[in-house]
Amino acid sequence: MQKLYALGAWKRDAEQVVAWLIENDFLNEERFAVSFARGKFRLKKWGKIKIKHELTLKKVSSRNISTALGNIEDQAYQQTLNSLISKKWNSLKTGTAAEKKMKTMRYMLQKGYESILVKPAMNKIAEGKA
């Protein structure tokens, strides 16, 4: 709608165009949400919290957000989480173990991962088990 308004379309005309696009499946919020979540997870390694926040900012319905997040495989999510933690941990050359944990935790939370998943994975890496 905003794009049509920017092009100078009248409200009634813009609504008709959008309705036609939705009817003919050119505009599909669920497809957008799933594609957005998949892309941000695979390419930018975002966590579910950050993806959910960004989709909310784009005014995607909560049902479609849930569907999109449900399409992220748990095994791939956990592998990515472990990989990011390991990479960050190994990139920190100085500091005590507590400082490394704090910096790694902050990094993972910024990426949008859940603290309940980050803490156990980080502890395994810190202890050298992973």
Side-chain angles (χ1 to χ4, degrees), residues 3 12 33 35-36 39 52 54 57 64 66-67 80 88 91 96 100-101 103 122-123:
K3 182 72 170 179
R12 186 173 46 94
S35 178
F36 181 90
K52 180 179 180 180
E54 290 296 319
L57 288 177
N64 288 331
S66 296
T67 302
T80 301
K88 182 65 177 176
S91 74
T96 65
K100 281 181 151 184
K101 279 185 180 182
K103 287 180 180 183
M122 189 172 46
N123 287 336

Side-chain angles (χ1 to χ4, degrees), residues 16-78:
Q16 288 176 347
V17 169
V18 170
W20 184 86
L21 289 171
I22 291 171
E23 285 173 17
N24 291 295
D25 208 28
F26 286 103
L27 286 179
N28 186 322
E29 188 178 81
E30 181 179 355
R31 184 176 62 214
F32 167 76
V34 169
S35 178
F36 181 90
R38 183 177 46 239
K40 294 302 181 186
F41 171 67
R42 287 187 182 162
L43 299 175
K44 293 195 173 199
K45 310 289 189 228
W46 283 5
K48 290 181 180 180
I49 294 172
K50 189 167 185 171
I51 293 170
K52 180 179 180 180
H53 177 71
E54 290 296 319
L55 286 171
T56 302
L57 288 177
K58 294 183 181 299
K59 295 182 172 67
V60 174
S61 70
S62 59
R63 183 182 61 82
N64 288 331
I65 292 173
S66 296
T67 302
L69 295 178
N71 282 343
I72 297 174
E73 295 178 21
D74 291 336
Q75 184 178 4
Y77 192 73
Q78 191 65 43

Side-chain angles (χ1 to χ4, degrees), residues 77-94:
Y77 192 73
Q78 191 65 43
Q79 286 175 343
T80 301
L81 178 127
N82 290 336
S83 172
L84 285 172
I85 291 172
S86 179
K87 216 180 263 187
K88 182 65 177 176
W89 185 269
N90 293 329
S91 74
L92 299 171
K93 300 298 180 197
T94 61

